[in-house]
Amino acid sequence: MTSAGGVRVGIIGAGIAGLVTAKVLRDDGFEVVVFDKETAAGGVWIQSRTYPGLRTNNSRATYAYSDHPYPESADVFPTAGQVRDYLASYVERFGLYRYLRLGTEVIRVSEAGKGFEVEVVGPDGVETPAFDFVVVCAGTFSEPNIPDIQDGNLFRGVIAHSSQAVEPTAFAGRRVVVVGAGKSALDCAAWAAERARDCTLVFRKPYPMLPRFIGGQPSDQLYLNRFSESFFRYHRLNRVERLLHGPGRPLTELVWRYLKLLMRLSLRMPRIMVPEPPLPGGIEHGGVSEEFYREARRGRIRLRRGQIARCTGEAELTLDTGERLAADLVVFATGWRQSLPFLDRELRTDVLSDGRFLLYRHILPPAHPRLGFIGYGSSTACQLSAEISAHWLSQHFLGELELPPAAEMHREIDRVGAWLAEVMPARPEGYYVGPYISHHIDDLMGDMRLPVRRTDNFVSEYFDTFLPGRYADLTEERLRLREARRTKFRLRRPRYVSAGQSLGGIAALTVGYAWLRRLRGGAA
């Protein structure tokens, strides 16, 4: 296929992944329809799902699409409201609203012939439109995980997930217990500390956290680069990484010990909140937080390591340590469950097995090449990883992507899944690539036969912040590649000065200088 004219794609979800997928596929000529059960676009960032005080983990420079930066008026770390405004401006600028079917829930997706039937229910009742392709962008934060509490029927207070505790006044005057130790838990506890009657954080173990700024610079702009990422062990290693995770491992471990000390001192962590395992252990739960530690130091948040064992009264909880806590509001910041209830049984079995996603490149189920998933390679810069994934999938739908046989894709899925279970054991579902963003994107770019290096020299390539703007011309690059393939014209590779070339140049200058001095000495 070289033209998408008249080819229909149904997209499930109008969050960060769904919006960019709609734009990329639309620009490639597909006819797209985006369904979302919510009445507003934005996914996890819509007002009815964001707790008060929520900000991004990333600065606005990295938490953006490649061709649509945040306005300068936004905070360096945007608030939830500013993210909503940003996504709304993206929809408006690129004319995406006409493709959105909001307030319309997808209740069934099933294969029909060479395409799919998508059963939806919305303002116009039940409909079953047909599509040639379907892309699932429903997100990995769609089904709140709220653990059952023994004798919970005794409790007369409010129990809510962090995504449901959205009213700013919900904490006022109440005895609040927040469960968890990830970013959401710390944010909710910090908000409650200033407004509630009292606040207790109950957690099993602490996780790594960063301050928003280090040395006056946004912290993400210091660690989101190829050099920093090389200290994480990817499932494929280049020569430098083989050194760092082989003979040079003591150096790598020293770097991680230094970073852990820097986090602890920068945030002035209470001892009970210092993560026990060495970094990068626990990084899958990491985030950016400052307010929580300030409130904890002031004594406004009680810190209790343990878990809720049962309810022992209308307004009382008992921990597994035996301690009893008075509570009117319990906020569970305990993550999310992963399920795809709208996929029929055959599709769901081929995509999700024992709670683990079986997706090649975190995008494609090998047995169903007309079904794609965007946002299931979630990363520390999810707008960018979703955008590149959408280009990869669109190129596949156009028939322009050379993929290995299904058996080989399954072997790769198993290999990558085993690696993820080892390096990020708390995310066994396999939908999270976390800090391995440049490596993951390099895999996708290589598959598309597009330049992996995005600057003109190794210094900026490896040490500058990995900004989305590096990929702003990706649509045009793909068009040039398509035309080159059609005309059999060989594209010129972008100029790039590698580390080897730079060292060779320095060596040549050194030899030349020494030779010149020797000539001058002989002439004298």
PDB file of all heavy atoms in Angstrom, residues 218-240:
ATOM      1  N   PRO A 218      16.240  22.534  35.312  1.00  0.00           N
ATOM      2  CA  PRO A 218      15.239  21.478  35.493  1.00  0.00           C
ATOM      3  C   PRO A 218      15.918  20.114  35.496  1.00  0.00           C
ATOM      4  O   PRO A 218      16.740  19.817  34.631  1.00  0.00           O
ATOM      5  CB  PRO A 218      14.323  21.652  34.273  1.00  0.00           C
ATOM      6  CG  PRO A 218      14.472  23.089  33.879  1.00  0.00           C
ATOM      7  CD  PRO A 218      15.905  23.421  34.168  1.00  0.00           C
ATOM      8  N   SER A 219      15.602  19.300  36.480  1.00  0.00           N
ATOM      9  CA  SER A 219      16.329  18.036  36.656  1.00  0.00           C
ATOM     10  C   SER A 219      16.197  17.117  35.450  1.00  0.00           C
ATOM     11  O   SER A 219      17.150  16.408  35.102  1.00  0.00           O
ATOM     12  CB  SER A 219      15.833  17.321  37.918  1.00  0.00           C
ATOM     13  OG  SER A 219      14.428  17.119  37.875  1.00  0.00           O
ATOM     14  N   ASP A 220      15.042  17.127  34.782  1.00  0.00           N
ATOM     15  CA  ASP A 220      14.880  16.215  33.647  1.00  0.00           C
ATOM     16  C   ASP A 220      15.796  16.585  32.493  1.00  0.00           C
ATOM     17  O   ASP A 220      16.198  15.713  31.709  1.00  0.00           O
ATOM     18  CB  ASP A 220      13.421  16.167  33.186  1.00  0.00           C
ATOM     19  CG  ASP A 220      12.948  17.496  32.627  1.00  0.00           C
ATOM     20  OD1 ASP A 220      13.295  18.545  33.198  1.00  0.00           O
ATOM     21  OD2 ASP A 220      12.228  17.491  31.616  1.00  0.00           O
ATOM     22  N   GLN A 221      16.155  17.849  32.371  1.00  0.00           N
ATOM     23  CA  GLN A 221      17.032  18.258  31.287  1.00  0.00           C
ATOM     24  C   GLN A 221      18.485  17.847  31.547  1.00  0.00           C
ATOM     25  O   GLN A 221      19.332  17.936  30.660  1.00  0.00           O
ATOM     26  CB  GLN A 221      16.921  19.766  31.070  1.00  0.00           C
ATOM     27  CG  GLN A 221      15.544  20.174  30.581  1.00  0.00           C
ATOM     28  CD  GLN A 221      15.444  21.632  30.198  1.00  0.00           C
ATOM     29  OE1 GLN A 221      16.403  22.233  29.728  1.00  0.00           O
ATOM     30  NE2 GLN A 221      14.273  22.208  30.402  1.00  0.00           N
ATOM     31  N   LEU A 222      18.757  17.384  32.767  1.00  0.00           N
ATOM     32  CA  LEU A 222      20.097  16.884  33.089  1.00  0.00           C
ATOM     33  C   LEU A 222      20.202  15.377  32.881  1.00  0.00           C
ATOM     34  O   LEU A 222      21.263  14.865  32.538  1.00  0.00           O
ATOM     35  CB  LEU A 222      20.445  17.240  34.536  1.00  0.00           C
ATOM     36  CG  LEU A 222      20.495  18.740  34.866  1.00  0.00           C
ATOM     37  CD1 LEU A 222      20.798  18.947  36.342  1.00  0.00           C
ATOM     38  CD2 LEU A 222      21.533  19.443  34.013  1.00  0.00           C
ATOM     39  N   TYR A 223      19.080  14.646  33.084  1.00  0.00           N
ATOM     40  CA  TYR A 223      19.172  13.192  32.935  1.00  0.00           C
ATOM     41  C   TYR A 223      18.590  12.685  31.629  1.00  0.00           C
ATOM     42  O   TYR A 223      18.863  11.544  31.234  1.00  0.00           O
ATOM     43  CB  TYR A 223      18.523  12.468  34.120  1.00  0.00           C
ATOM     44  CG  TYR A 223      17.019  12.578  34.225  1.00  0.00           C
ATOM     45  CD1 TYR A 223      16.176  11.817  33.417  1.00  0.00           C
ATOM     46  CD2 TYR A 223      16.420  13.408  35.173  1.00  0.00           C
ATOM     47  CE1 TYR A 223      14.797  11.900  33.522  1.00  0.00           C
ATOM     48  CE2 TYR A 223      15.048  13.494  35.285  1.00  0.00           C
ATOM     49  CZ  TYR A 223      14.241  12.739  34.463  1.00  0.00           C
ATOM     50  OH  TYR A 223      12.870  12.832  34.579  1.00  0.00           O
ATOM     51  N   LEU A 224      17.798  13.490  30.919  1.00  0.00           N
ATOM     52  CA  LEU A 224      17.236  13.053  29.647  1.00  0.00           C
ATOM     53  C   LEU A 224      18.230  13.341  28.521  1.00  0.00           C
ATOM     54  O   LEU A 224      18.087  14.286  27.758  1.00  0.00           O
ATOM     55  CB  LEU A 224      15.896  13.750  29.372  1.00  0.00           C
ATOM     56  CG  LEU A 224      14.648  13.030  29.894  1.00  0.00           C
ATOM     57  CD1 LEU A 224      13.404  13.873  29.649  1.00  0.00           C
ATOM     58  CD2 LEU A 224      14.486  11.672  29.237  1.00  0.00           C
ATOM     59  N   ASN A 225      19.263  12.535  28.461  1.00  0.00           N
ATOM     60  CA  ASN A 225      20.216  12.631  27.360  1.00  0.00           C
ATOM     61  C   ASN A 225      20.838  11.255  27.150  1.00  0.00           C
ATOM     62  O   ASN A 225      20.745  10.366  28.000  1.00  0.00           O
ATOM     63  CB  ASN A 225      21.284  13.701  27.630  1.00  0.00           C
ATOM     64  CG  ASN A 225      22.061  13.446  28.900  1.00  0.00           C
ATOM     65  OD1 ASN A 225      22.824  12.492  28.989  1.00  0.00           O
ATOM     66  ND2 ASN A 225      21.862  14.297  29.912  1.00  0.00           N
ATOM     67  N   ARG A 226      21.466  11.071  26.007  1.00  0.00           N
ATOM     68  CA  ARG A 226      22.008   9.757  25.676  1.00  0.00           C
ATOM     69  C   ARG A 226      23.116   9.326  26.639  1.00  0.00           C
ATOM     70  O   ARG A 226      23.236   8.145  26.967  1.00  0.00           O
ATOM     71  CB  ARG A 226      22.534   9.753  24.241  1.00  0.00           C
ATOM     72  CG  ARG A 226      21.456   9.862  23.181  1.00  0.00           C
ATOM     73  CD  ARG A 226      22.079   9.701  21.794  1.00  0.00           C
ATOM     74  NE  ARG A 226      21.097   9.854  20.733  1.00  0.00           N
ATOM     75  CZ  ARG A 226      20.303   8.875  20.296  1.00  0.00           C
ATOM     76  NH1 ARG A 226      20.387   7.675  20.866  1.00  0.00           N
ATOM     77  NH2 ARG A 226      19.449   9.085  19.325  1.00  0.00           N
ATOM     78  N   PHE A 227      23.923  10.289  27.080  1.00  0.00           N
ATOM     79  CA  PHE A 227      25.019   9.943  27.978  1.00  0.00           C
ATOM     80  C   PHE A 227      24.487   9.379  29.287  1.00  0.00           C
ATOM     81  O   PHE A 227      24.915   8.308  29.741  1.00  0.00           O
ATOM     82  CB  PHE A 227      25.892  11.170  28.238  1.00  0.00           C
ATOM     83  CG  PHE A 227      26.951  10.935  29.283  1.00  0.00           C
ATOM     84  CD1 PHE A 227      28.064  10.166  28.992  1.00  0.00           C
ATOM     85  CD2 PHE A 227      26.822  11.477  30.546  1.00  0.00           C
ATOM     86  CE1 PHE A 227      29.041   9.938  29.956  1.00  0.00           C
ATOM     87  CE2 PHE A 227      27.786  11.251  31.514  1.00  0.00           C
ATOM     88  CZ  PHE A 227      28.900  10.483  31.217  1.00  0.00           C
ATOM     89  N   SER A 228      23.535  10.082  29.911  1.00  0.00           N
ATOM     90  CA  SER A 228      22.979   9.607  31.179  1.00  0.00           C
ATOM     91  C   SER A 228      22.277   8.269  31.001  1.00  0.00           C
ATOM     92  O   SER A 228      22.369   7.377  31.852  1.00  0.00           O
ATOM     93  CB  SER A 228      21.997  10.640  31.744  1.00  0.00           C
ATOM     94  OG  SER A 228      22.659  11.847  32.048  1.00  0.00           O
ATOM     95  N   GLU A 229      21.583   8.120  29.870  1.00  0.00           N
ATOM     96  CA  GLU A 229      20.838   6.884  29.636  1.00  0.00           C
ATOM     97  C   GLU A 229      21.762   5.673  29.480  1.00  0.00           C
ATOM     98  O   GLU A 229      21.350   4.539  29.742  1.00  0.00           O
ATOM     99  CB  GLU A 229      19.952   7.033  28.400  1.00  0.00           C
ATOM    100  CG  GLU A 229      18.906   5.947  28.260  1.00  0.00           C
ATOM    101  CD  GLU A 229      17.944   6.210  27.119  1.00  0.00           C
ATOM    102  OE1 GLU A 229      17.493   7.367  26.952  1.00  0.00           O
ATOM    103  OE2 GLU A 229      17.655   5.251  26.376  1.00  0.00           O
ATOM    104  N   SER A 230      23.002   5.922  29.083  1.00  0.00           N
ATOM    105  CA  SER A 230      23.923   4.794  28.891  1.00  0.00           C
ATOM    106  C   SER A 230      24.244   4.093  30.208  1.00  0.00           C
ATOM    107  O   SER A 230      24.719   2.946  30.192  1.00  0.00           O
ATOM    108  CB  SER A 230      25.216   5.287  28.229  1.00  0.00           C
ATOM    109  OG  SER A 230      25.925   6.177  29.083  1.00  0.00           O
ATOM    110  N   PHE A 231      23.983   4.734  31.353  1.00  0.00           N
ATOM    111  CA  PHE A 231      24.226   4.099  32.646  1.00  0.00           C
ATOM    112  C   PHE A 231      23.102   3.148  33.038  1.00  0.00           C
ATOM    113  O   PHE A 231      23.218   2.433  34.036  1.00  0.00           O
ATOM    114  CB  PHE A 231      24.447   5.157  33.725  1.00  0.00           C
ATOM    115  CG  PHE A 231      25.765   5.861  33.588  1.00  0.00           C
ATOM    116  CD1 PHE A 231      25.877   7.029  32.844  1.00  0.00           C
ATOM    117  CD2 PHE A 231      26.912   5.348  34.180  1.00  0.00           C
ATOM    118  CE1 PHE A 231      27.096   7.671  32.691  1.00  0.00           C
ATOM    119  CE2 PHE A 231      28.133   5.988  34.045  1.00  0.00           C
ATOM    120  CZ  PHE A 231      28.227   7.149  33.289  1.00  0.00           C
ATOM    121  N   PHE A 232      21.995   3.165  32.284  1.00  0.00           N
ATOM    122  CA  PHE A 232      20.957   2.145  32.416  1.00  0.00           C
ATOM    123  C   PHE A 232      21.285   1.014  31.440  1.00  0.00           C
ATOM    124  O   PHE A 232      21.701   1.267  30.318  1.00  0.00           O
ATOM    125  CB  PHE A 232      19.579   2.721  32.079  1.00  0.00           C
ATOM    126  CG  PHE A 232      19.083   3.768  33.033  1.00  0.00           C
ATOM    127  CD1 PHE A 232      19.330   5.111  32.804  1.00  0.00           C
ATOM    128  CD2 PHE A 232      18.351   3.406  34.150  1.00  0.00           C
ATOM    129  CE1 PHE A 232      18.865   6.086  33.664  1.00  0.00           C
ATOM    130  CE2 PHE A 232      17.881   4.373  35.023  1.00  0.00           C
ATOM    131  CZ  PHE A 232      18.136   5.711  34.790  1.00  0.00           C
ATOM    132  N   ARG A 233      21.048  -0.204  31.845  1.00  0.00           N
ATOM    133  CA  ARG A 233      21.402  -1.353  31.009  1.00  0.00           C
ATOM    134  C   ARG A 233      20.231  -1.719  30.093  1.00  0.00           C
ATOM    135  O   ARG A 233      19.245  -2.300  30.526  1.00  0.00           O
ATOM    136  CB  ARG A 233      21.800  -2.548  31.875  1.00  0.00           C
ATOM    137  CG  ARG A 233      22.228  -3.776  31.066  1.00  0.00           C
ATOM    138  CD  ARG A 233      22.745  -4.875  31.975  1.00  0.00           C
ATOM    139  NE  ARG A 233      21.751  -5.286  32.954  1.00  0.00           N
ATOM    140  CZ  ARG A 233      20.760  -6.149  32.706  1.00  0.00           C
ATOM    141  NH1 ARG A 233      20.620  -6.681  31.501  1.00  0.00           N
ATOM    142  NH2 ARG A 233      19.909  -6.478  33.659  1.00  0.00           N
ATOM    143  N   TYR A 234      20.362  -1.375  28.829  1.00  0.00           N
ATOM    144  CA  TYR A 234      19.343  -1.707  27.839  1.00  0.00           C
ATOM    145  C   TYR A 234      19.514  -3.176  27.412  1.00  0.00           C
ATOM    146  O   TYR A 234      20.525  -3.802  27.724  1.00  0.00           O
ATOM    147  CB  TYR A 234      19.482  -0.775  26.634  1.00  0.00           C
ATOM    148  CG  TYR A 234      18.289  -0.748  25.702  1.00  0.00           C
ATOM    149  CD1 TYR A 234      17.011  -0.500  26.198  1.00  0.00           C
ATOM    150  CD2 TYR A 234      18.429  -0.973  24.343  1.00  0.00           C
ATOM    151  CE1 TYR A 234      15.916  -0.466  25.358  1.00  0.00           C
ATOM    152  CE2 TYR A 234      17.339  -0.940  23.482  1.00  0.00           C
ATOM    153  CZ  TYR A 234      16.078  -0.681  23.999  1.00  0.00           C
ATOM    154  OH  TYR A 234      14.990  -0.649  23.163  1.00  0.00           O
ATOM    155  N   HIS A 235      18.529  -3.692  26.673  1.00  0.00           N
ATOM    156  CA  HIS A 235      18.620  -5.099  26.273  1.00  0.00           C
ATOM    157  C   HIS A 235      19.555  -5.303  25.087  1.00  0.00           C
ATOM    158  O   HIS A 235      19.873  -6.436  24.728  1.00  0.00           O
ATOM    159  CB  HIS A 235      17.234  -5.677  25.976  1.00  0.00           C
ATOM    160  CG  HIS A 235      16.476  -4.973  24.885  1.00  0.00           C
ATOM    161  ND1 HIS A 235      16.672  -5.225  23.549  1.00  0.00           N
ATOM    162  CD2 HIS A 235      15.498  -4.033  24.951  1.00  0.00           C
ATOM    163  CE1 HIS A 235      15.851  -4.475  22.829  1.00  0.00           C
ATOM    164  NE2 HIS A 235      15.129  -3.745  23.654  1.00  0.00           N
ATOM    165  N   ARG A 236      19.991  -4.202  24.457  1.00  0.00           N
ATOM    166  CA  ARG A 236      21.061  -4.251  23.459  1.00  0.00           C
ATOM    167  C   ARG A 236      22.054  -3.161  23.813  1.00  0.00           C
ATOM    168  O   ARG A 236      21.653  -2.014  24.043  1.00  0.00           O
ATOM    169  CB  ARG A 236      20.514  -4.032  22.041  1.00  0.00           C
ATOM    170  CG  ARG A 236      20.066  -5.297  21.348  1.00  0.00           C
ATOM    171  CD  ARG A 236      19.822  -5.046  19.873  1.00  0.00           C
ATOM    172  NE  ARG A 236      18.750  -4.086  19.667  1.00  0.00           N
ATOM    173  CZ  ARG A 236      17.465  -4.427  19.593  1.00  0.00           C
ATOM    174  NH1 ARG A 236      17.118  -5.683  19.717  1.00  0.00           N
ATOM    175  NH2 ARG A 236      16.539  -3.509  19.403  1.00  0.00           N
ATOM    176  N   LEU A 237      23.335  -3.495  23.844  1.00  0.00           N
ATOM    177  CA  LEU A 237      24.346  -2.550  24.296  1.00  0.00           C
ATOM    178  C   LEU A 237      25.306  -2.208  23.167  1.00  0.00           C
ATOM    179  O   LEU A 237      25.729  -3.083  22.411  1.00  0.00           O
ATOM    180  CB  LEU A 237      25.141  -3.141  25.472  1.00  0.00           C
ATOM    181  CG  LEU A 237      24.333  -3.594  26.694  1.00  0.00           C
ATOM    182  CD1 LEU A 237      25.268  -4.230  27.710  1.00  0.00           C
ATOM    183  CD2 LEU A 237      23.572  -2.439  27.313  1.00  0.00           C
ATOM    184  N   ASN A 238      25.658  -0.902  23.076  1.00  0.00           N
ATOM    185  CA  ASN A 238      26.720  -0.517  22.151  1.00  0.00           C
ATOM    186  C   ASN A 238      28.075  -0.712  22.839  1.00  0.00           C
ATOM    187  O   ASN A 238      28.143  -1.191  23.980  1.00  0.00           O
ATOM    188  CB  ASN A 238      26.522   0.914  21.661  1.00  0.00           C
ATOM    189  CG  ASN A 238      26.535   1.937  22.794  1.00  0.00           C
ATOM    190  OD1 ASN A 238      27.221   1.754  23.805  1.00  0.00           O
ATOM    191  ND2 ASN A 238      25.776   3.016  22.631  1.00  0.00           N
ATOM    192  N   ARG A 239      29.141  -0.347  22.175  1.00  0.00           N
ATOM    193  CA  ARG A 239      30.479  -0.615  22.714  1.00  0.00           C
ATOM    194  C   ARG A 239      30.714   0.092  24.042  1.00  0.00           C
ATOM    195  O   ARG A 239      31.275  -0.491  24.982  1.00  0.00           O
ATOM    196  CB  ARG A 239      31.534  -0.192  21.688  1.00  0.00           C
ATOM    197  CG  ARG A 239      31.690  -1.163  20.522  1.00  0.00           C
ATOM    198  CD  ARG A 239      32.698  -0.675  19.511  1.00  0.00           C
ATOM    199  NE  ARG A 239      32.265   0.569  18.868  1.00  0.00           N
ATOM    200  CZ  ARG A 239      32.970   1.224  17.960  1.00  0.00           C
ATOM    201  NH1 ARG A 239      34.169   0.784  17.614  1.00  0.00           N
ATOM    202  NH2 ARG A 239      32.491   2.326  17.402  1.00  0.00           N
ATOM    203  N   VAL A 240      30.315   1.351  24.131  1.00  0.00           N
ATOM    204  CA  VAL A 240      30.508   2.096  25.378  1.00  0.00           C
ATOM    205  C   VAL A 240      29.683   1.476  26.500  1.00  0.00           C
ATOM    206  O   VAL A 240      30.150   1.320  27.640  1.00  0.00           O
ATOM    207  CB  VAL A 240      30.142   3.580  25.178  1.00  0.00           C
ATOM    208  CG1 VAL A 240      30.166   4.327  26.513  1.00  0.00           C
ATOM    209  CG2 VAL A 240      31.097   4.241  24.185  1.00  0.00           C
TER     210      VAL A 240
END
